[in-house]
């Protein structure tokens, strides 16, 4: 289990970089033990992070992604978090 840690980011770019590096390390560690899962939040803010993470050299077939929140709209709707996350990955 990952330990909680605190990071100070001075801007959005450094926040994204720190989040990417930390998440990649946690996912690699988890995947080293077997299949893993990751809950994703919706909204526009995390989309750049998701797009960067999607490019990571991970065994994606062993990683299950799920939404922590979703709007009650069709996946085809532009307000759908699932639609935005699918586009990012």
């Amino acid at each position: 289990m990952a330990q909680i840690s605190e990071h100070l980011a001075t801007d959005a770019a450094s926040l994204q970089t720190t989040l990417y590096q930390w998440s990649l390390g946690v996912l690699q560690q988890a995947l080293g033990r077997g299949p893993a899962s990751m809950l994703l939040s919706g909204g526009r803010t995390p989309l750049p992070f998701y797009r960067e993470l999607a490019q990571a050299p991970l065994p994606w077939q062993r990683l299950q992604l799920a939404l922590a929140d979703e709007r009650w709209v069709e996946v085809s709707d532009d307000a759908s978090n699932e639609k935005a996350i699918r586009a990012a990955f």
Side-chain angles (χ1 to χ4, degrees):
M1 176 182 264
Q3 291 190 350
I4 296 174
S5 57
E6 185 176 352
H7 302 275
L8 177 63
T10 57
D11 57 33
S14 65
L15 174 62
Q16 180 179 322
T17 299
T18 300
L19 181 58
Y20 171 79
Q21 291 170 345
W22 180 85
S23 297
L24 187 58
V26 170
L27 287 171
Q28 288 170 331
Q29 186 178 44
L31 288 162
R33 295 187 302 265
S37 59
M38 181 179 187
L39 290 176
L40 306 173
S41 292
R44 302 271 179 249
T45 303
L47 291 177
F49 161 67
Y50 295 158
R51 286 190 286 270
E52 185 175 8
L53 186 62
Q55 303 304 311
L58 293 169
W60 290 100
Q61 70 280 6
R62 294 179 43 227
L63 180 59
Q64 183 174 0
L65 303 176
L67 286 163
D69 59 346
E70 178 53 24
R71 296 182 173 111
W72 292 97
V73 297
E74 295 293 324
V75 175
S76 59
D77 192 302
D78 287 340
S80 170
N81 290 325
E82 182 178 348
K83 179 180 181 179
I85 288 172
R86 285 182 180 271
F89 283 92

Short mmCIF file of all heavy atoms in Angstrom, two decimals, residues 17-79:
data_model
loop_
_atom_site.label_atom_id
_atom_site.label_comp_id
_atom_site.label_asym_id
_atom_site.label_seq_id
_atom_site.Cartn_x
_atom_site.Cartn_y
_atom_site.Cartn_z
N THR A 17 3.83 17.11 -13.42
CA THR A 17 5.05 16.31 -13.47
C THR A 17 5.21 15.48 -12.20
O THR A 17 5.50 14.28 -12.26
CB THR A 17 6.29 17.20 -13.68
OG1 THR A 17 6.14 17.89 -14.93
CG2 THR A 17 7.57 16.40 -13.67
N THR A 18 5.02 16.11 -11.06
CA THR A 18 5.14 15.40 -9.78
C THR A 18 4.11 14.30 -9.67
O THR A 18 4.42 13.19 -9.26
CB THR A 18 5.01 16.39 -8.60
OG1 THR A 18 6.04 17.37 -8.70
CG2 THR A 18 5.10 15.68 -7.27
N LEU A 19 2.86 14.60 -10.03
CA LEU A 19 1.80 13.61 -9.97
C LEU A 19 2.08 12.44 -10.91
O LEU A 19 1.89 11.27 -10.55
CB LEU A 19 0.46 14.25 -10.32
CG LEU A 19 -0.77 13.35 -10.27
CD1 LEU A 19 -0.95 12.73 -8.88
CD2 LEU A 19 -2.01 14.14 -10.68
N TYR A 20 2.56 12.75 -12.10
CA TYR A 20 2.90 11.69 -13.06
C TYR A 20 4.00 10.79 -12.51
O TYR A 20 3.85 9.56 -12.52
CB TYR A 20 3.33 12.31 -14.39
CG TYR A 20 3.90 11.29 -15.34
CD1 TYR A 20 3.05 10.45 -16.07
CD2 TYR A 20 5.26 11.13 -15.50
CE1 TYR A 20 3.56 9.51 -16.94
CE2 TYR A 20 5.78 10.18 -16.37
CZ TYR A 20 4.93 9.37 -17.08
OH TYR A 20 5.43 8.42 -17.93
N GLN A 21 5.07 11.36 -12.04
CA GLN A 21 6.20 10.56 -11.53
C GLN A 21 5.78 9.71 -10.34
O GLN A 21 6.12 8.52 -10.25
CB GLN A 21 7.38 11.46 -11.18
CG GLN A 21 8.01 12.09 -12.39
CD GLN A 21 9.03 13.16 -12.05
OE1 GLN A 21 9.08 13.66 -10.93
NE2 GLN A 21 9.82 13.55 -13.04
N TRP A 22 5.04 10.29 -9.40
CA TRP A 22 4.60 9.57 -8.22
C TRP A 22 3.65 8.44 -8.62
O TRP A 22 3.80 7.30 -8.18
CB TRP A 22 3.93 10.53 -7.23
CG TRP A 22 3.47 9.83 -5.99
CD1 TRP A 22 4.19 9.56 -4.88
CD2 TRP A 22 2.16 9.31 -5.75
NE1 TRP A 22 3.43 8.90 -3.95
CE2 TRP A 22 2.17 8.73 -4.46
CE3 TRP A 22 0.98 9.27 -6.49
CZ2 TRP A 22 1.05 8.12 -3.91
CZ3 TRP A 22 -0.13 8.67 -5.93
CH2 TRP A 22 -0.08 8.10 -4.66
N SER A 23 2.67 8.76 -9.46
CA SER A 23 1.69 7.76 -9.88
C SER A 23 2.33 6.62 -10.65
O SER A 23 1.99 5.45 -10.45
CB SER A 23 0.60 8.40 -10.74
OG SER A 23 -0.11 9.35 -10.00
N LEU A 24 3.25 6.95 -11.52
CA LEU A 24 3.94 5.93 -12.29
C LEU A 24 4.68 4.97 -11.37
O LEU A 24 4.61 3.74 -11.53
CB LEU A 24 4.90 6.57 -13.30
CG LEU A 24 5.57 5.63 -14.29
CD1 LEU A 24 4.54 4.87 -15.11
CD2 LEU A 24 6.51 6.41 -15.20
N GLY A 25 5.36 5.50 -10.38
CA GLY A 25 6.07 4.65 -9.42
C GLY A 25 5.13 3.75 -8.64
O GLY A 25 5.40 2.55 -8.47
N VAL A 26 4.03 4.29 -8.18
CA VAL A 26 3.05 3.50 -7.42
C VAL A 26 2.44 2.42 -8.31
O VAL A 26 2.30 1.27 -7.90
CB VAL A 26 1.95 4.41 -6.83
CG1 VAL A 26 0.79 3.59 -6.26
CG2 VAL A 26 2.53 5.31 -5.75
N LEU A 27 2.09 2.78 -9.54
CA LEU A 27 1.50 1.80 -10.45
C LEU A 27 2.49 0.70 -10.80
O LEU A 27 2.13 -0.48 -10.84
CB LEU A 27 1.00 2.48 -11.73
CG LEU A 27 -0.26 3.31 -11.57
CD1 LEU A 27 -0.53 4.12 -12.83
CD2 LEU A 27 -1.45 2.43 -11.22
N GLN A 28 3.74 1.05 -11.06
CA GLN A 28 4.75 0.04 -11.37
C GLN A 28 4.94 -0.92 -10.20
O GLN A 28 5.05 -2.13 -10.38
CB GLN A 28 6.07 0.70 -11.75
CG GLN A 28 6.02 1.36 -13.11
CD GLN A 28 7.24 2.22 -13.41
OE1 GLN A 28 7.86 2.78 -12.51
NE2 GLN A 28 7.56 2.34 -14.68
N GLN A 29 4.96 -0.37 -9.00
CA GLN A 29 5.11 -1.19 -7.81
C GLN A 29 3.91 -2.13 -7.65
O GLN A 29 4.07 -3.32 -7.40
CB GLN A 29 5.25 -0.30 -6.58
CG GLN A 29 5.56 -1.05 -5.30
CD GLN A 29 5.73 -0.09 -4.15
OE1 GLN A 29 4.97 0.87 -3.97
NE2 GLN A 29 6.76 -0.33 -3.35
N ALA A 30 2.71 -1.60 -7.82
CA ALA A 30 1.50 -2.41 -7.69
C ALA A 30 1.45 -3.49 -8.77
O ALA A 30 1.12 -4.65 -8.50
CB ALA A 30 0.26 -1.53 -7.77
N LEU A 31 1.79 -3.12 -10.00
CA LEU A 31 1.76 -4.07 -11.10
C LEU A 31 2.83 -5.15 -10.95
O LEU A 31 2.70 -6.24 -11.50
CB LEU A 31 1.90 -3.34 -12.44
CG LEU A 31 0.66 -2.55 -12.85
CD1 LEU A 31 1.01 -1.52 -13.92
CD2 LEU A 31 -0.43 -3.49 -13.32
N GLY A 32 3.88 -4.85 -10.21
CA GLY A 32 4.90 -5.85 -9.92
C GLY A 32 4.39 -6.98 -9.06
O GLY A 32 4.97 -8.06 -9.01
N ARG A 33 3.28 -6.74 -8.37
CA ARG A 33 2.67 -7.76 -7.51
C ARG A 33 1.52 -8.48 -8.20
O ARG A 33 0.98 -9.43 -7.66
CB ARG A 33 2.18 -7.12 -6.21
CG ARG A 33 3.30 -6.57 -5.34
CD ARG A 33 2.79 -6.09 -3.99
NE ARG A 33 1.77 -5.05 -4.08
CZ ARG A 33 2.00 -3.75 -4.01
NH1 ARG A 33 3.23 -3.30 -3.88
NH2 ARG A 33 1.00 -2.89 -4.08
N GLY A 34 1.09 -7.97 -9.35
CA GLY A 34 -0.04 -8.57 -10.05
C GLY A 34 -0.91 -7.50 -10.68
O GLY A 34 -0.50 -6.34 -10.78
N PRO A 35 -2.12 -7.87 -11.10
CA PRO A 35 -3.02 -6.88 -11.69
C PRO A 35 -3.30 -5.75 -10.68
O PRO A 35 -3.24 -5.96 -9.47
CB PRO A 35 -4.30 -7.68 -11.97
CG PRO A 35 -3.84 -9.09 -12.08
CD PRO A 35 -2.69 -9.21 -11.10
N ALA A 36 -3.60 -4.57 -11.21
CA ALA A 36 -3.83 -3.41 -10.34
C ALA A 36 -5.01 -2.61 -10.87
O ALA A 36 -5.44 -2.79 -12.01
CB ALA A 36 -2.58 -2.54 -10.29
N SER A 37 -5.52 -1.74 -10.04
CA SER A 37 -6.60 -0.85 -10.45
C SER A 37 -6.29 0.57 -9.99
O SER A 37 -5.53 0.78 -9.06
CB SER A 37 -7.95 -1.32 -9.88
OG SER A 37 -7.89 -1.35 -8.47
N MET A 38 -6.91 1.53 -10.68
CA MET A 38 -6.72 2.94 -10.37
C MET A 38 -8.04 3.65 -10.58
O MET A 38 -8.67 3.51 -11.62
CB MET A 38 -5.65 3.54 -11.29
CG MET A 38 -5.35 4.99 -11.05
SD MET A 38 -4.04 5.55 -12.18
CE MET A 38 -3.74 7.18 -11.55
N LEU A 39 -8.47 4.38 -9.56
CA LEU A 39 -9.69 5.18 -9.67
C LEU A 39 -9.34 6.56 -10.20
O LEU A 39 -8.40 7.19 -9.72
CB LEU A 39 -10.38 5.30 -8.32
CG LEU A 39 -11.02 4.03 -7.79
CD1 LEU A 39 -11.58 4.27 -6.39
CD2 LEU A 39 -12.11 3.54 -8.72
N LEU A 40 -10.09 7.02 -11.18
CA LEU A 40 -9.85 8.32 -11.81
C LEU A 40 -11.00 9.27 -11.51
O LEU A 40 -12.16 8.88 -11.56
CB LEU A 40 -9.71 8.15 -13.32
CG LEU A 40 -8.67 7.13 -13.79
CD1 LEU A 40 -8.76 6.95 -15.30
CD2 LEU A 40 -7.28 7.57 -13.38
N SER A 41 -10.66 10.50 -11.23
CA SER A 41 -11.68 11.54 -11.03
C SER A 41 -11.98 12.21 -12.35
O SER A 41 -11.14 12.31 -13.23
CB SER A 41 -11.18 12.59 -10.03
OG SER A 41 -11.08 12.03 -8.75
N GLY A 42 -13.20 12.69 -12.46
CA GLY A 42 -13.61 13.38 -13.68
C GLY A 42 -13.24 14.85 -13.65
O GLY A 42 -12.53 15.31 -12.76
N GLY A 43 -13.72 15.56 -14.62
CA GLY A 43 -13.44 16.98 -14.73
C GLY A 43 -12.32 17.25 -15.71
O GLY A 43 -11.68 16.35 -16.22
N ARG A 44 -12.08 18.51 -15.96
CA ARG A 44 -11.04 18.92 -16.93
C ARG A 44 -9.65 18.97 -16.32
O ARG A 44 -8.66 18.77 -17.00
CB ARG A 44 -11.39 20.30 -17.50
CG ARG A 44 -12.74 20.36 -18.17
CD ARG A 44 -12.63 20.02 -19.65
NE ARG A 44 -13.94 20.07 -20.27
CZ ARG A 44 -14.58 18.99 -20.70
NH1 ARG A 44 -14.07 17.81 -20.56
NH2 ARG A 44 -15.76 19.11 -21.28
N THR A 45 -9.56 19.25 -15.03
CA THR A 45 -8.25 19.45 -14.39
C THR A 45 -7.30 18.28 -14.55
O THR A 45 -6.13 18.47 -14.88
CB THR A 45 -8.44 19.79 -12.89
OG1 THR A 45 -9.28 20.95 -12.80
CG2 THR A 45 -7.11 20.06 -12.21
N PRO A 46 -7.73 17.03 -14.35
CA PRO A 46 -6.77 15.93 -14.44
C PRO A 46 -6.48 15.44 -15.87
O PRO A 46 -5.61 14.59 -16.06
CB PRO A 46 -7.42 14.82 -13.62
CG PRO A 46 -8.87 15.08 -13.71
CD PRO A 46 -9.01 16.58 -13.80
N LEU A 47 -7.16 15.97 -16.87
CA LEU A 47 -6.99 15.45 -18.23
C LEU A 47 -5.55 15.52 -18.75
O LEU A 47 -5.08 14.56 -19.37
CB LEU A 47 -7.97 16.12 -19.20
CG LEU A 47 -9.43 15.75 -18.99
CD1 LEU A 47 -10.33 16.54 -19.95
CD2 LEU A 47 -9.65 14.26 -19.14
N PRO A 48 -4.81 16.61 -18.55
CA PRO A 48 -3.41 16.60 -19.02
C PRO A 48 -2.59 15.49 -18.36
O PRO A 48 -1.77 14.84 -19.02
CB PRO A 48 -2.88 17.98 -18.62
CG PRO A 48 -4.10 18.84 -18.55
CD PRO A 48 -5.18 17.93 -18.03
N PHE A 49 -2.82 15.25 -17.07
CA PHE A 49 -2.14 14.15 -16.38
C PHE A 49 -2.53 12.81 -16.99
O PHE A 49 -1.67 11.96 -17.24
CB PHE A 49 -2.48 14.19 -14.88
CG PHE A 49 -2.22 12.91 -14.17
CD1 PHE A 49 -0.91 12.46 -14.00
CD2 PHE A 49 -3.26 12.15 -13.66
CE1 PHE A 49 -0.66 11.26 -13.34
CE2 PHE A 49 -3.01 10.97 -12.99
CZ PHE A 49 -1.70 10.51 -12.85
N TYR A 50 -3.80 12.60 -17.27
CA TYR A 50 -4.25 11.34 -17.87
C TYR A 50 -3.62 11.13 -19.24
O TYR A 50 -3.21 10.02 -19.59
CB TYR A 50 -5.77 11.29 -17.99
CG TYR A 50 -6.51 11.30 -16.69
CD1 TYR A 50 -7.83 11.71 -16.63
CD2 TYR A 50 -5.91 10.90 -15.50
CE1 TYR A 50 -8.54 11.72 -15.44
CE2 TYR A 50 -6.61 10.91 -14.30
CZ TYR A 50 -7.92 11.32 -14.28
OH TYR A 50 -8.62 11.34 -13.09
N ARG A 51 -3.55 12.19 -20.04
CA ARG A 51 -2.94 12.07 -21.38
C ARG A 51 -1.47 11.68 -21.26
O ARG A 51 -0.96 10.87 -22.04
CB ARG A 51 -3.12 13.36 -22.17
CG ARG A 51 -4.56 13.55 -22.67
CD ARG A 51 -4.67 14.69 -23.66
NE ARG A 51 -4.58 15.99 -23.02
CZ ARG A 51 -5.61 16.68 -22.55
NH1 ARG A 51 -6.83 16.19 -22.63
NH2 ARG A 51 -5.44 17.86 -21.99
N GLU A 52 -0.77 12.27 -20.29
CA GLU A 52 0.64 11.93 -20.10
C GLU A 52 0.78 10.49 -19.59
O GLU A 52 1.61 9.73 -20.08
CB GLU A 52 1.30 12.90 -19.12
CG GLU A 52 2.79 12.67 -18.96
CD GLU A 52 3.47 13.70 -18.08
OE1 GLU A 52 2.79 14.54 -17.45
OE2 GLU A 52 4.70 13.66 -18.04
N LEU A 53 -0.05 10.12 -18.64
CA LEU A 53 0.01 8.77 -18.09
C LEU A 53 -0.29 7.72 -19.16
O LEU A 53 0.31 6.64 -19.18
CB LEU A 53 -0.98 8.63 -16.93
CG LEU A 53 -0.94 7.31 -16.16
CD1 LEU A 53 0.42 7.11 -15.50
CD2 LEU A 53 -2.05 7.28 -15.12
N ALA A 54 -1.18 8.05 -20.08
CA ALA A 54 -1.54 7.11 -21.15
C ALA A 54 -0.35 6.74 -22.02
O ALA A 54 -0.35 5.68 -22.65
CB ALA A 54 -2.65 7.71 -22.01
N GLN A 55 0.67 7.59 -22.05
CA GLN A 55 1.87 7.33 -22.85
C GLN A 55 2.91 6.50 -22.09
O GLN A 55 3.93 6.10 -22.67
CB GLN A 55 2.50 8.65 -23.31
CG GLN A 55 1.56 9.53 -24.10
CD GLN A 55 0.97 8.82 -25.30
OE1 GLN A 55 1.68 8.22 -26.09
NE2 GLN A 55 -0.34 8.87 -25.44
N ALA A 56 2.67 6.23 -20.82
CA ALA A 56 3.64 5.51 -19.99
C ALA A 56 3.75 4.05 -20.44
O ALA A 56 2.77 3.44 -20.84
CB ALA A 56 3.23 5.56 -18.53
N PRO A 57 4.96 3.51 -20.36
CA PRO A 57 5.17 2.11 -20.74
C PRO A 57 4.72 1.16 -19.62
O PRO A 57 5.53 0.64 -18.86
CB PRO A 57 6.69 2.04 -20.96
CG PRO A 57 7.24 3.07 -20.04
CD PRO A 57 6.21 4.17 -19.99
N LEU A 58 3.42 0.98 -19.53
CA LEU A 58 2.84 0.11 -18.51
C LEU A 58 2.15 -1.07 -19.17
O LEU A 58 1.68 -0.96 -20.32
CB LEU A 58 1.80 0.89 -17.67
CG LEU A 58 2.33 2.00 -16.79
CD1 LEU A 58 1.17 2.84 -16.24
CD2 LEU A 58 3.16 1.44 -15.65
N PRO A 59 2.03 -2.20 -18.49
CA PRO A 59 1.27 -3.33 -19.04
C PRO A 59 -0.23 -3.06 -18.87
O PRO A 59 -0.88 -3.53 -17.94
CB PRO A 59 1.75 -4.51 -18.18
CG PRO A 59 2.15 -3.90 -16.88
CD PRO A 59 2.66 -2.53 -17.22
N TRP A 60 -0.76 -2.25 -19.76
CA TRP A 60 -2.13 -1.75 -19.63
C TRP A 60 -3.16 -2.85 -19.54
O TRP A 60 -4.22 -2.67 -18.93
CB TRP A 60 -2.45 -0.80 -20.79
CG TRP A 60 -1.68 0.47 -20.66
CD1 TRP A 60 -0.53 0.81 -21.30
CD2 TRP A 60 -1.98 1.55 -19.76
NE1 TRP A 60 -0.10 2.05 -20.87
CE2 TRP A 60 -0.97 2.53 -19.94
CE3 TRP A 60 -2.99 1.80 -18.86
CZ2 TRP A 60 -0.96 3.72 -19.23
CZ3 TRP A 60 -2.98 2.98 -18.14
CH2 TRP A 60 -1.97 3.93 -18.34
N GLN A 61 -2.89 -4.01 -20.11
CA GLN A 61 -3.84 -5.12 -20.04
C GLN A 61 -3.98 -5.65 -18.62
O GLN A 61 -4.95 -6.33 -18.30
CB GLN A 61 -3.43 -6.25 -21.01
CG GLN A 61 -2.18 -7.02 -20.60
CD GLN A 61 -0.87 -6.32 -20.95
OE1 GLN A 61 -0.83 -5.19 -21.40
NE2 GLN A 61 0.24 -7.02 -20.72
N ARG A 62 -3.07 -5.29 -17.73
CA ARG A 62 -3.12 -5.73 -16.33
C ARG A 62 -3.58 -4.60 -15.39
O ARG A 62 -3.58 -4.77 -14.18
CB ARG A 62 -1.75 -6.23 -15.90
CG ARG A 62 -1.36 -7.50 -16.66
CD ARG A 62 0.01 -8.05 -16.30
NE ARG A 62 0.26 -8.03 -14.89
CZ ARG A 62 1.40 -7.57 -14.34
NH1 ARG A 62 2.35 -7.11 -15.10
NH2 ARG A 62 1.57 -7.59 -13.04
N LEU A 63 -3.96 -3.47 -15.98
CA LEU A 63 -4.37 -2.32 -15.17
C LEU A 63 -5.82 -1.97 -15.49
O LEU A 63 -6.18 -1.73 -16.63
CB LEU A 63 -3.47 -1.12 -15.48
CG LEU A 63 -3.75 0.17 -14.73
CD1 LEU A 63 -3.62 -0.04 -13.23
CD2 LEU A 63 -2.77 1.26 -15.17
N GLN A 64 -6.64 -1.98 -14.47
CA GLN A 64 -8.05 -1.64 -14.63
C GLN A 64 -8.29 -0.22 -14.14
O GLN A 64 -7.96 0.12 -13.00
CB GLN A 64 -8.92 -2.61 -13.85
CG GLN A 64 -10.39 -2.35 -14.04
CD GLN A 64 -11.24 -3.40 -13.38
OE1 GLN A 64 -10.76 -4.33 -12.76
NE2 GLN A 64 -12.54 -3.26 -13.50
N LEU A 65 -8.84 0.61 -15.01
CA LEU A 65 -9.17 1.99 -14.67
C LEU A 65 -10.67 2.09 -14.44
O LEU A 65 -11.46 1.48 -15.16
CB LEU A 65 -8.76 2.93 -15.80
CG LEU A 65 -7.29 2.90 -16.21
CD1 LEU A 65 -7.06 3.81 -17.41
CD2 LEU A 65 -6.40 3.26 -15.07
N ALA A 66 -11.06 2.86 -13.44
CA ALA A 66 -12.48 3.07 -13.14
C ALA A 66 -12.69 4.51 -12.71
O ALA A 66 -11.78 5.17 -12.22
CB ALA A 66 -12.95 2.11 -12.05
N LEU A 67 -13.91 4.99 -12.90
CA LEU A 67 -14.25 6.36 -12.51
C LEU A 67 -14.68 6.41 -11.04
O LEU A 67 -15.48 5.59 -10.59
CB LEU A 67 -15.40 6.87 -13.37
CG LEU A 67 -14.99 7.22 -14.80
CD1 LEU A 67 -16.21 7.33 -15.69
CD2 LEU A 67 -14.22 8.52 -14.79
N ALA A 68 -14.14 7.38 -10.34
CA ALA A 68 -14.54 7.60 -8.94
C ALA A 68 -15.85 8.38 -8.90
O ALA A 68 -16.58 8.32 -7.93
CB ALA A 68 -13.46 8.36 -8.19
N ASP A 69 -16.14 9.10 -9.97
CA ASP A 69 -17.38 9.88 -10.06
C ASP A 69 -17.80 9.93 -11.52
O ASP A 69 -16.97 9.87 -12.41
CB ASP A 69 -17.18 11.28 -9.51
CG ASP A 69 -16.09 12.07 -10.23
OD1 ASP A 69 -15.31 11.45 -10.98
OD2 ASP A 69 -16.01 13.28 -10.05
N GLU A 70 -19.06 10.01 -11.74
CA GLU A 70 -19.55 10.13 -13.12
C GLU A 70 -20.87 10.87 -13.09
O GLU A 70 -21.68 10.70 -12.18
CB GLU A 70 -19.70 8.77 -13.78
CG GLU A 70 -20.25 8.81 -15.21
CD GLU A 70 -19.50 9.73 -16.17
OE1 GLU A 70 -18.32 10.03 -15.95
OE2 GLU A 70 -20.11 10.18 -17.14
N ARG A 71 -21.05 11.67 -14.09
CA ARG A 71 -22.32 12.38 -14.24
C ARG A 71 -23.34 11.41 -14.83
O ARG A 71 -22.99 10.46 -15.51
CB ARG A 71 -22.12 13.56 -15.19
CG ARG A 71 -21.16 14.58 -14.63
CD ARG A 71 -21.03 15.76 -15.60
NE ARG A 71 -20.25 16.78 -14.98
CZ ARG A 71 -19.02 17.12 -15.40
NH1 ARG A 71 -18.47 16.52 -16.42
NH2 ARG A 71 -18.36 18.07 -14.78
N TRP A 72 -24.60 11.68 -14.58
CA TRP A 72 -25.66 10.84 -15.11
C TRP A 72 -26.02 11.32 -16.51
O TRP A 72 -27.11 11.85 -16.75
CB TRP A 72 -26.86 10.85 -14.19
CG TRP A 72 -26.55 10.15 -12.91
CD1 TRP A 72 -26.18 10.72 -11.73
CD2 TRP A 72 -26.53 8.75 -12.69
NE1 TRP A 72 -25.93 9.76 -10.78
CE2 TRP A 72 -26.15 8.53 -11.34
CE3 TRP A 72 -26.79 7.63 -13.48
CZ2 TRP A 72 -26.03 7.26 -10.79
CZ3 TRP A 72 -26.68 6.37 -12.93
CH2 TRP A 72 -26.31 6.20 -11.60
N VAL A 73 -25.08 11.16 -17.42
CA VAL A 73 -25.31 11.51 -18.82
C VAL A 73 -24.78 10.36 -19.68
O VAL A 73 -23.98 9.55 -19.22
CB VAL A 73 -24.61 12.84 -19.22
CG1 VAL A 73 -25.17 14.00 -18.43
CG2 VAL A 73 -23.11 12.75 -19.04
N GLU A 74 -25.23 10.31 -20.90
CA GLU A 74 -24.75 9.29 -21.83
C GLU A 74 -23.26 9.49 -22.09
O GLU A 74 -22.76 10.63 -22.08
CB GLU A 74 -25.51 9.37 -23.16
CG GLU A 74 -26.98 9.03 -23.05
CD GLU A 74 -27.21 7.58 -22.70
OE1 GLU A 74 -26.45 6.71 -23.15
OE2 GLU A 74 -28.18 7.31 -21.96
N VAL A 75 -22.55 8.41 -22.34
CA VAL A 75 -21.11 8.49 -22.62
C VAL A 75 -20.84 9.35 -23.84
O VAL A 75 -19.79 9.99 -23.93
CB VAL A 75 -20.52 7.07 -22.79
CG1 VAL A 75 -19.06 7.13 -23.20
CG2 VAL A 75 -20.68 6.26 -21.53
N SER A 76 -21.77 9.43 -24.75
CA SER A 76 -21.59 10.25 -25.95
C SER A 76 -21.75 11.75 -25.68
O SER A 76 -21.36 12.57 -26.51
CB SER A 76 -22.59 9.82 -27.03
OG SER A 76 -23.92 9.97 -26.55
N ASP A 77 -22.29 12.10 -24.53
CA ASP A 77 -22.52 13.51 -24.17
C ASP A 77 -21.19 14.21 -23.87
O ASP A 77 -20.31 13.63 -23.24
CB ASP A 77 -23.42 13.57 -22.94
CG ASP A 77 -23.96 14.96 -22.67
OD1 ASP A 77 -23.14 15.89 -22.48
OD2 ASP A 77 -25.19 15.11 -22.61
N ASP A 78 -21.03 15.45 -24.33
CA ASP A 78 -19.79 16.20 -24.07
C ASP A 78 -19.55 16.45 -22.59
O ASP A 78 -18.43 16.73 -22.19
CB ASP A 78 -19.80 17.52 -24.83
CG ASP A 78 -19.59 17.33 -26.33
OD1 ASP A 78 -19.07 16.25 -26.73
OD2 ASP A 78 -19.94 18.23 -27.09
N ALA A 79 -20.56 16.34 -21.75
CA ALA A 79 -20.40 16.52 -20.30
C ALA A 79 -19.97 15.24 -19.59
O ALA A 79 -19.76 15.25 -18.38
CB ALA A 79 -21.70 17.03 -19.70
#
